[in-house]
Amino acid sequence: MLLLPGGGATSTVWFANVAALAARYRVHAVDLMGDAGRSRAEGTAPRTVDDLLGWLDSVVRGLGLGTFALAGHSYGAMIALAYVLRQPERVSALALLDPTSCFAGMRMPYLARAAPLLLRPTEKRQRRFVDWETGRRPLDGDWLDLLARGAAHFPATKLVVPKRPSSRQLRELEVRTTVILAGAGRAHDSERLAGILGEEHPGITVVTVGEATHHTLPMSPHDEVDAALLGALG
């Protein structure tokens, strides 16, 4: 199993899930290229979607994987879906956790709250944004420190963002796919998104974790998230 985190979250965001997943899978959690974490470009950093997906494919080949299960959260879900649409034969099952800009846009209040953080990231702004989005739900303090410091001190780079797939591309998606939504999240309207998926893409399974928000995933509530992931990936 290959796990891709959300932007700035780093591979440590899966700490609460790994025990359950590792009981069934060999788990590889990867830091995203161009983002906070330990992945580092040898040579030119990715500038295009082709570069980004080529990097991910080099990770897959470097790990010696044939076919594998793939899960991504938020920005990691965008990358995972783009990869599957390009190389479906490599992926046995796909799980997308609260995917952003994969099937619908994000809420304007969320984008407005995120804008100052994107323009001038600081630890304080990162913490304030997460507090707002999660409704002050408790988060692991060490992980939150890492997220906040990464926002403030990681060298600013322009993330490569895959384009939202067309309806035709999504209809042709053959890999078993599950979308795990945060029922209490503020990034998008989970009920509306579930309706869009049910109407336009009935082949995609939708699971809503009612108490989760965009930034508590995948850490909490980890038992429900673990069950959803294991069900999604077989």
Side-chain angles (χ1 to χ4, degrees), residues 70-94:
L70 179 60
H73 171 232
S74 190
Y75 177 52
M78 297 172 68
I79 298 171
L81 180 58
Y83 184 85
V84 165
L85 290 172
R86 188 166 295 194
Q87 300 210 63
E89 71 283 355
R90 302 296 298 274
V91 180
S92 59
L94 174 67

PDB file of all heavy atoms in Angstrom, residues 70-94:
ATOM      1  N   LEU A  70      -3.510   2.193  -3.473  1.00  0.00           N
ATOM      2  CA  LEU A  70      -3.084   3.587  -3.380  1.00  0.00           C
ATOM      3  C   LEU A  70      -4.136   4.402  -2.632  1.00  0.00           C
ATOM      4  O   LEU A  70      -5.331   4.322  -2.940  1.00  0.00           O
ATOM      5  CB  LEU A  70      -2.889   4.150  -4.791  1.00  0.00           C
ATOM      6  CG  LEU A  70      -2.468   5.620  -4.931  1.00  0.00           C
ATOM      7  CD1 LEU A  70      -1.128   5.872  -4.248  1.00  0.00           C
ATOM      8  CD2 LEU A  70      -2.377   5.996  -6.411  1.00  0.00           C
ATOM      9  N   ALA A  71      -3.690   5.167  -1.645  1.00  0.00           N
ATOM     10  CA  ALA A  71      -4.593   6.038  -0.899  1.00  0.00           C
ATOM     11  C   ALA A  71      -3.965   7.416  -0.787  1.00  0.00           C
ATOM     12  O   ALA A  71      -2.752   7.546  -0.574  1.00  0.00           O
ATOM     13  CB  ALA A  71      -4.878   5.477   0.497  1.00  0.00           C
ATOM     14  N   GLY A  72      -4.795   8.471  -0.922  1.00  0.00           N
ATOM     15  CA  GLY A  72      -4.301   9.827  -0.790  1.00  0.00           C
ATOM     16  C   GLY A  72      -5.327  10.704  -0.113  1.00  0.00           C
ATOM     17  O   GLY A  72      -6.531  10.498  -0.257  1.00  0.00           O
ATOM     18  N   HIS A  73      -4.832  11.689   0.620  1.00  0.00           N
ATOM     19  CA  HIS A  73      -5.706  12.635   1.316  1.00  0.00           C
ATOM     20  C   HIS A  73      -5.514  14.030   0.727  1.00  0.00           C
ATOM     21  O   HIS A  73      -4.381  14.470   0.512  1.00  0.00           O
ATOM     22  CB  HIS A  73      -5.372  12.648   2.805  1.00  0.00           C
ATOM     23  CG  HIS A  73      -6.054  13.732   3.580  1.00  0.00           C
ATOM     24  ND1 HIS A  73      -5.381  14.601   4.403  1.00  0.00           N
ATOM     25  CD2 HIS A  73      -7.360  14.095   3.643  1.00  0.00           C
ATOM     26  CE1 HIS A  73      -6.234  15.455   4.945  1.00  0.00           C
ATOM     27  NE2 HIS A  73      -7.441  15.172   4.500  1.00  0.00           N
ATOM     28  N   SER A  74      -6.614  14.732   0.429  1.00  0.00           N
ATOM     29  CA  SER A  74      -6.574  16.127   0.006  1.00  0.00           C
ATOM     30  C   SER A  74      -5.692  16.285  -1.242  1.00  0.00           C
ATOM     31  O   SER A  74      -5.992  15.709  -2.285  1.00  0.00           O
ATOM     32  CB  SER A  74      -6.090  16.991   1.181  1.00  0.00           C
ATOM     33  OG  SER A  74      -6.231  18.352   0.914  1.00  0.00           O
ATOM     34  N   TYR A  75      -4.612  17.048  -1.152  1.00  0.00           N
ATOM     35  CA  TYR A  75      -3.700  17.200  -2.290  1.00  0.00           C
ATOM     36  C   TYR A  75      -3.129  15.850  -2.713  1.00  0.00           C
ATOM     37  O   TYR A  75      -2.966  15.575  -3.900  1.00  0.00           O
ATOM     38  CB  TYR A  75      -2.582  18.174  -1.920  1.00  0.00           C
ATOM     39  CG  TYR A  75      -1.516  18.376  -2.964  1.00  0.00           C
ATOM     40  CD1 TYR A  75      -1.844  18.706  -4.279  1.00  0.00           C
ATOM     41  CD2 TYR A  75      -0.172  18.247  -2.637  1.00  0.00           C
ATOM     42  CE1 TYR A  75      -0.849  18.904  -5.228  1.00  0.00           C
ATOM     43  CE2 TYR A  75       0.827  18.449  -3.582  1.00  0.00           C
ATOM     44  CZ  TYR A  75       0.482  18.779  -4.878  1.00  0.00           C
ATOM     45  OH  TYR A  75       1.474  18.960  -5.828  1.00  0.00           O
ATOM     46  N   GLY A  76      -2.856  14.987  -1.748  1.00  0.00           N
ATOM     47  CA  GLY A  76      -2.381  13.644  -2.084  1.00  0.00           C
ATOM     48  C   GLY A  76      -3.408  12.853  -2.870  1.00  0.00           C
ATOM     49  O   GLY A  76      -3.055  12.023  -3.719  1.00  0.00           O
ATOM     50  N   ALA A  77      -4.700  13.105  -2.615  1.00  0.00           N
ATOM     51  CA  ALA A  77      -5.761  12.451  -3.374  1.00  0.00           C
ATOM     52  C   ALA A  77      -5.779  12.949  -4.815  1.00  0.00           C
ATOM     53  O   ALA A  77      -6.032  12.176  -5.753  1.00  0.00           O
ATOM     54  CB  ALA A  77      -7.120  12.695  -2.715  1.00  0.00           C
ATOM     55  N   MET A  78      -5.506  14.227  -5.026  1.00  0.00           N
ATOM     56  CA  MET A  78      -5.433  14.767  -6.381  1.00  0.00           C
ATOM     57  C   MET A  78      -4.335  14.071  -7.181  1.00  0.00           C
ATOM     58  O   MET A  78      -4.529  13.706  -8.346  1.00  0.00           O
ATOM     59  CB  MET A  78      -5.164  16.275  -6.334  1.00  0.00           C
ATOM     60  CG  MET A  78      -6.250  17.091  -5.681  1.00  0.00           C
ATOM     61  SD  MET A  78      -5.769  18.825  -5.465  1.00  0.00           S
ATOM     62  CE  MET A  78      -5.713  19.368  -7.171  1.00  0.00           C
ATOM     63  N   ILE A  79      -3.185  13.888  -6.540  1.00  0.00           N
ATOM     64  CA  ILE A  79      -2.063  13.221  -7.208  1.00  0.00           C
ATOM     65  C   ILE A  79      -2.396  11.761  -7.466  1.00  0.00           C
ATOM     66  O   ILE A  79      -2.132  11.223  -8.548  1.00  0.00           O
ATOM     67  CB  ILE A  79      -0.788  13.352  -6.360  1.00  0.00           C
ATOM     68  CG1 ILE A  79      -0.410  14.827  -6.200  1.00  0.00           C
ATOM     69  CG2 ILE A  79       0.361  12.571  -6.981  1.00  0.00           C
ATOM     70  CD1 ILE A  79       0.715  15.065  -5.207  1.00  0.00           C
ATOM     71  N   ALA A  80      -2.992  11.094  -6.470  1.00  0.00           N
ATOM     72  CA  ALA A  80      -3.336   9.675  -6.612  1.00  0.00           C
ATOM     73  C   ALA A  80      -4.305   9.455  -7.767  1.00  0.00           C
ATOM     74  O   ALA A  80      -4.144   8.542  -8.572  1.00  0.00           O
ATOM     75  CB  ALA A  80      -3.928   9.148  -5.313  1.00  0.00           C
ATOM     76  N   LEU A  81      -5.342  10.300  -7.865  1.00  0.00           N
ATOM     77  CA  LEU A  81      -6.327  10.142  -8.935  1.00  0.00           C
ATOM     78  C   LEU A  81      -5.685  10.402 -10.291  1.00  0.00           C
ATOM     79  O   LEU A  81      -5.939   9.661 -11.259  1.00  0.00           O
ATOM     80  CB  LEU A  81      -7.491  11.096  -8.700  1.00  0.00           C
ATOM     81  CG  LEU A  81      -8.611  11.063  -9.741  1.00  0.00           C
ATOM     82  CD1 LEU A  81      -9.219   9.667  -9.859  1.00  0.00           C
ATOM     83  CD2 LEU A  81      -9.699  12.086  -9.393  1.00  0.00           C
ATOM     84  N   ALA A  82      -4.854  11.433 -10.400  1.00  0.00           N
ATOM     85  CA  ALA A  82      -4.177  11.719 -11.664  1.00  0.00           C
ATOM     86  C   ALA A  82      -3.296  10.551 -12.084  1.00  0.00           C
ATOM     87  O   ALA A  82      -3.225  10.199 -13.270  1.00  0.00           O
ATOM     88  CB  ALA A  82      -3.354  13.000 -11.538  1.00  0.00           C
ATOM     89  N   TYR A  83      -2.624   9.932 -11.104  1.00  0.00           N
ATOM     90  CA  TYR A  83      -1.755   8.790 -11.411  1.00  0.00           C
ATOM     91  C   TYR A  83      -2.571   7.605 -11.921  1.00  0.00           C
ATOM     92  O   TYR A  83      -2.202   6.955 -12.905  1.00  0.00           O
ATOM     93  CB  TYR A  83      -0.961   8.391 -10.169  1.00  0.00           C
ATOM     94  CG  TYR A  83       0.026   7.274 -10.410  1.00  0.00           C
ATOM     95  CD1 TYR A  83       1.297   7.540 -10.891  1.00  0.00           C
ATOM     96  CD2 TYR A  83      -0.321   5.947 -10.161  1.00  0.00           C
ATOM     97  CE1 TYR A  83       2.203   6.517 -11.129  1.00  0.00           C
ATOM     98  CE2 TYR A  83       0.578   4.920 -10.391  1.00  0.00           C
ATOM     99  CZ  TYR A  83       1.834   5.209 -10.876  1.00  0.00           C
ATOM    100  OH  TYR A  83       2.732   4.191 -11.112  1.00  0.00           O
ATOM    101  N   VAL A  84      -3.681   7.326 -11.257  1.00  0.00           N
ATOM    102  CA  VAL A  84      -4.517   6.188 -11.646  1.00  0.00           C
ATOM    103  C   VAL A  84      -5.109   6.387 -13.046  1.00  0.00           C
ATOM    104  O   VAL A  84      -5.197   5.434 -13.836  1.00  0.00           O
ATOM    105  CB  VAL A  84      -5.622   5.958 -10.605  1.00  0.00           C
ATOM    106  CG1 VAL A  84      -6.708   5.038 -11.136  1.00  0.00           C
ATOM    107  CG2 VAL A  84      -5.024   5.373  -9.334  1.00  0.00           C
ATOM    108  N   LEU A  85      -5.502   7.602 -13.348  1.00  0.00           N
ATOM    109  CA  LEU A  85      -6.053   7.861 -14.683  1.00  0.00           C
ATOM    110  C   LEU A  85      -4.999   7.659 -15.770  1.00  0.00           C
ATOM    111  O   LEU A  85      -5.333   7.317 -16.904  1.00  0.00           O
ATOM    112  CB  LEU A  85      -6.611   9.283 -14.753  1.00  0.00           C
ATOM    113  CG  LEU A  85      -7.884   9.522 -13.939  1.00  0.00           C
ATOM    114  CD1 LEU A  85      -8.234  11.001 -13.917  1.00  0.00           C
ATOM    115  CD2 LEU A  85      -9.052   8.709 -14.492  1.00  0.00           C
ATOM    116  N   ARG A  86      -3.751   7.854 -15.414  1.00  0.00           N
ATOM    117  CA  ARG A  86      -2.674   7.682 -16.386  1.00  0.00           C
ATOM    118  C   ARG A  86      -2.141   6.251 -16.419  1.00  0.00           C
ATOM    119  O   ARG A  86      -1.791   5.749 -17.491  1.00  0.00           O
ATOM    120  CB  ARG A  86      -1.532   8.652 -16.068  1.00  0.00           C
ATOM    121  CG  ARG A  86      -0.462   8.687 -17.127  1.00  0.00           C
ATOM    122  CD  ARG A  86       0.461   9.858 -16.965  1.00  0.00           C
ATOM    123  NE  ARG A  86      -0.223  11.142 -17.172  1.00  0.00           N
ATOM    124  CZ  ARG A  86       0.399  12.295 -17.345  1.00  0.00           C
ATOM    125  NH1 ARG A  86       1.730  12.332 -17.350  1.00  0.00           N
ATOM    126  NH2 ARG A  86      -0.272  13.413 -17.496  1.00  0.00           N
ATOM    127  N   GLN A  87      -2.094   5.587 -15.262  1.00  0.00           N
ATOM    128  CA  GLN A  87      -1.531   4.230 -15.205  1.00  0.00           C
ATOM    129  C   GLN A  87      -2.445   3.304 -14.407  1.00  0.00           C
ATOM    130  O   GLN A  87      -2.060   2.791 -13.353  1.00  0.00           O
ATOM    131  CB  GLN A  87      -0.134   4.265 -14.586  1.00  0.00           C
ATOM    132  CG  GLN A  87       0.856   5.122 -15.349  1.00  0.00           C
ATOM    133  CD  GLN A  87       2.269   4.618 -15.199  1.00  0.00           C
ATOM    134  OE1 GLN A  87       2.611   3.506 -15.603  1.00  0.00           O
ATOM    135  NE2 GLN A  87       3.109   5.425 -14.613  1.00  0.00           N
ATOM    136  N   PRO A  88      -3.650   3.051 -14.882  1.00  0.00           N
ATOM    137  CA  PRO A  88      -4.603   2.247 -14.113  1.00  0.00           C
ATOM    138  C   PRO A  88      -4.153   0.814 -13.891  1.00  0.00           C
ATOM    139  O   PRO A  88      -4.561   0.175 -12.915  1.00  0.00           O
ATOM    140  CB  PRO A  88      -5.879   2.305 -14.965  1.00  0.00           C
ATOM    141  CG  PRO A  88      -5.401   2.604 -16.349  1.00  0.00           C
ATOM    142  CD  PRO A  88      -4.212   3.491 -16.174  1.00  0.00           C
ATOM    143  N   GLU A  89      -3.324   0.302 -14.784  1.00  0.00           N
ATOM    144  CA  GLU A  89      -2.908  -1.092 -14.669  1.00  0.00           C
ATOM    145  C   GLU A  89      -2.007  -1.329 -13.460  1.00  0.00           C
ATOM    146  O   GLU A  89      -1.831  -2.484 -13.028  1.00  0.00           O
ATOM    147  CB  GLU A  89      -2.180  -1.533 -15.942  1.00  0.00           C
ATOM    148  CG  GLU A  89      -0.801  -0.947 -16.165  1.00  0.00           C
ATOM    149  CD  GLU A  89      -0.802   0.497 -16.673  1.00  0.00           C
ATOM    150  OE1 GLU A  89      -1.902   1.034 -16.940  1.00  0.00           O
ATOM    151  OE2 GLU A  89       0.295   1.079 -16.798  1.00  0.00           O
ATOM    152  N   ARG A  90      -1.447  -0.261 -12.869  1.00  0.00           N
ATOM    153  CA  ARG A  90      -0.535  -0.428 -11.752  1.00  0.00           C
ATOM    154  C   ARG A  90      -1.254  -0.497 -10.409  1.00  0.00           C
ATOM    155  O   ARG A  90      -0.688  -0.970  -9.422  1.00  0.00           O
ATOM    156  CB  ARG A  90       0.464   0.752 -11.707  1.00  0.00           C
ATOM    157  CG  ARG A  90       1.296   0.956 -12.946  1.00  0.00           C
ATOM    158  CD  ARG A  90       2.212  -0.225 -13.215  1.00  0.00           C
ATOM    159  NE  ARG A  90       3.172  -0.448 -12.154  1.00  0.00           N
ATOM    160  CZ  ARG A  90       4.361   0.173 -12.089  1.00  0.00           C
ATOM    161  NH1 ARG A  90       4.684   1.055 -13.003  1.00  0.00           N
ATOM    162  NH2 ARG A  90       5.203  -0.106 -11.115  1.00  0.00           N
ATOM    163  N   VAL A  91      -2.497   0.002 -10.353  1.00  0.00           N
ATOM    164  CA  VAL A  91      -3.183   0.193  -9.068  1.00  0.00           C
ATOM    165  C   VAL A  91      -4.331  -0.796  -8.921  1.00  0.00           C
ATOM    166  O   VAL A  91      -5.222  -0.862  -9.764  1.00  0.00           O
ATOM    167  CB  VAL A  91      -3.688   1.640  -8.935  1.00  0.00           C
ATOM    168  CG1 VAL A  91      -4.408   1.835  -7.607  1.00  0.00           C
ATOM    169  CG2 VAL A  91      -2.524   2.629  -9.058  1.00  0.00           C
ATOM    170  N   SER A  92      -4.323  -1.559  -7.830  1.00  0.00           N
ATOM    171  CA  SER A  92      -5.358  -2.563  -7.593  1.00  0.00           C
ATOM    172  C   SER A  92      -6.618  -1.960  -7.005  1.00  0.00           C
ATOM    173  O   SER A  92      -7.726  -2.450  -7.244  1.00  0.00           O
ATOM    174  CB  SER A  92      -4.817  -3.650  -6.659  1.00  0.00           C
ATOM    175  OG  SER A  92      -4.401  -3.084  -5.423  1.00  0.00           O
ATOM    176  N   ALA A  93      -6.480  -0.898  -6.202  1.00  0.00           N
ATOM    177  CA  ALA A  93      -7.624  -0.225  -5.596  1.00  0.00           C
ATOM    178  C   ALA A  93      -7.185   1.167  -5.177  1.00  0.00           C
ATOM    179  O   ALA A  93      -6.019   1.395  -4.842  1.00  0.00           O
ATOM    180  CB  ALA A  93      -8.145  -1.006  -4.395  1.00  0.00           C
ATOM    181  N   LEU A  94      -8.143   2.093  -5.178  1.00  0.00           N
ATOM    182  CA  LEU A  94      -7.846   3.499  -4.912  1.00  0.00           C
ATOM    183  C   LEU A  94      -8.782   4.032  -3.831  1.00  0.00           C
ATOM    184  O   LEU A  94      -9.997   3.819  -3.899  1.00  0.00           O
ATOM    185  CB  LEU A  94      -8.028   4.308  -6.196  1.00  0.00           C
ATOM    186  CG  LEU A  94      -7.903   5.828  -6.114  1.00  0.00           C
ATOM    187  CD1 LEU A  94      -6.468   6.240  -5.774  1.00  0.00           C
ATOM    188  CD2 LEU A  94      -8.333   6.464  -7.437  1.00  0.00           C
TER     189      LEU A  94
END
